[in-house]
Amino acid sequence: MTVKQILDQKGRDVVTVSPSMGTADAIRFLADNKIGAVVVTGSGGKIAGILSERDIVRAMAKKGADALAAPISNIMTAKVTTCGESHSVNQVMELMTNGRFRHLPVEEDGKLIGIISIGDVVRRRIEDVEREAEEIKAYIAG
């Protein structure tokens, strides 16, 4: 199972925001879109960072309410780990586990083409295990 197969099933739409967006606006954006992270893009649509709920919590713990007035460029994770469509589910699980993050942008030739979450990966892995179990049952019964 690859990232391409996950994106083919779930879709490739990715919402993005600008690094100049205010933190309070970004919080509303996350809530309105019912997402836990958003890719931050700069000029030319290049990935400039990713803003997650965790980034917001850390900023609030450090700066209090003053964090709400700052642009998200001050609090986002600027060093973003990405993957490609050819990455396997197991490779992506390892990246997410080692990096301790739940959202992974998918890039191709430097262009953002999708995003996958740990929920997408776990769902796909469970489907694979269930399918394998059914195949084993069919083999034993047959």
Side-chain angles (χ1 to χ4, degrees):
M1 185 56 56
T2 64
V3 169
K4 180 183 183 324
Q5 291 167 311
I6 293 173
L7 290 178
D8 286 347
Q9 185 179 45
K10 78 171 254 180
R12 297 169 184 275
D13 293 338
V14 183
V15 293
T16 63
V17 295
S18 162
S20 61
M21 177 181 256
T23 299
D25 290 334
I27 291 169
R28 278 188 290 282
F29 185 86
L30 291 172
D32 290 347
N33 286 282
K34 296 181 175 92
I35 55 177
V38 63
V39 178
V40 182
T41 54
S43 60
K46 297 282 185 189
I47 297 173
I50 190 165
L51 179 72
S52 69
E53 295 162 326
R54 185 176 292 164
D55 293 320
I56 294 165
V57 168
R58 286 182 179 149
M60 295 292 293
K62 187 175 181 180
K63 298 180 182 181
D66 291 341
L68 297 174
I72 60 174
S73 59
N74 290 2
I75 67 169
M76 70 183 186
T77 300
K79 186 176 180 185
V80 181
T81 300
T82 62
C83 69
E85 285 187 314
S86 63
H87 277 79
S88 70
V89 168
N90 289 341
Q91 289 173 313
V92 168
M93 285 173 59
E94 185 175 340
L95 282 173
M96 289 178 162
T97 301
N98 292 341
R100 298 181 55 127
F101 49 81
R102 300 175 311 201
H103 299 87
L104 189 61
V106 183
E107 269 188 319
E108 185 176 289
D109 299 324
K111 182 182 173 196
L112 179 66
I113 61 166
I115 190 166
I116 58 172
S117 71
I118 192 67
D120 299 325
V121 174
V122 168
R123 186 176 312 111
R124 179 55 67 154
R125 189 66 188 118
I126 289 170
E127 289 171 4
D128 288 347
V129 169
E130 288 174 345
R131 187 184 76 262
E132 290 169 9
E134 288 301 317
E135 289 171 0
I136 290 170
K137 285 179 190 176
Y139 175 77
I140 291 170

